[in-house]
Amino acid sequence: MAKILVLHGPNLNLLGQREPEIYGNVSLDDVNQNLTRLAKEHNIEIVCFQSNSEGEIIDFLHKEGIEADCVILNPAAYTHYSIAIRDAVKGIKTPVIEVHLSNIYAREEFRRHSVIAPVVWGQISGFGHYGYEMAFWAALQLIKNINR
Ligand code: DQA
């Protein structure tokens, strides 16, 4: 059975309450439940994980990421400066899809650069919680092509 990991970075546990005008009203539980439902419908194993700690995100990528078929990752604030997460993404061979709820290119200057983007398969930014679903569809295509 194919496996997708969904990895949420710092402060995304507050999704739905945190700056709803930017990140929307949908909670992280709702995002994960929607992805879990989609995964079930397509016979795909899914593991969702959130951490506020850089080290835990890296450990998760090392331990779980290596065995997965695709990782959907919102590195949150780490997007803009974590060379360590970038190295972890590069270090595993699993394709990673970077997701941002907001359009990071239309925000403050410091958010307009992702150090992660050059080492991921693709990036989805600006479609709110629907971005995770878009990433799921992209992952599904990738998995189908791998197993063809
Ligand atoms: C974010 C954008 C980041 O700049 C920010 O630090 C986040 C969320 C997004 O999903 O839009 O925490 O990754």
Side-chain angles (χ1 to χ4, degrees):
M1 193 190 255
K3 186 172 181 177
I4 295 177
L5 301 182
V6 185
L7 186 42
H8 309 279
N11 299 305
L12 291 170
N13 51 311
L14 297 181
L15 204 59
Q17 306 158 42
R18 169 194 182 208
E19 299 180 88
E21 65 289 357
I22 295 174
Y23 300 115
N25 296 303
V26 172
S27 71
L28 194 65
D29 259 8
D30 288 339
V31 167
N32 290 338
Q33 270 173 36
N34 185 42
L35 292 173
T36 304
R37 178 185 57 79
L38 288 173
K40 230 182 215 167
E41 281 171 17
H42 292 85
N43 205 28
I44 285 176
E45 190 183 343
I46 195 161
V47 177
C48 303
F49 179 72
Q50 187 275 332
S51 177
N52 293 320
S53 138
E54 189 179 29
E56 277 184 14
I57 292 170
I58 293 166
D59 286 345
F60 188 81
L61 282 167
H62 289 174
K63 281 190 204 129
E64 306 278 340
I66 279 174
E67 290 188 355
D69 296 281
C70 188
V71 178
I72 296 171
L73 168 67
N74 184 346
Y78 287 134
T79 304
H80 314 297
Y81 66 93
S82 177
I83 306 300
I85 292 179
R86 176 195 166 116
D87 287 349
V89 167
K90 192 139 195 234
I92 61 167
K93 290 193 178 94
T94 312
V96 173
I97 303 174
E98 180 181 347
V99 172
H100 299 287
L101 295 133
S102 63
N103 177 359
I104 58 170
Y105 302 100
R107 298 189 60 194
E108 302 98 314
E109 187 69 40
F110 66 88
R111 291 187 206 275
R112 292 185 196 157
H113 181 66
S114 166
V115 299
I116 313 293
V119 296
V120 297
W121 186 49
Q123 188 198 61
I124 295 164
S125 176
F127 295 96
H129 65 89
Y130 187 59
Y132 287 101
E133 202 171 314
M134 293 166 90
F136 177 86
W137 298 126
L140 201 64
Q141 283 309 311
L142 182 84
I143 289 165
K144 277 186 189 161
N145 286 335
I146 288 171
N147 295 328
R148 196 178 276 164

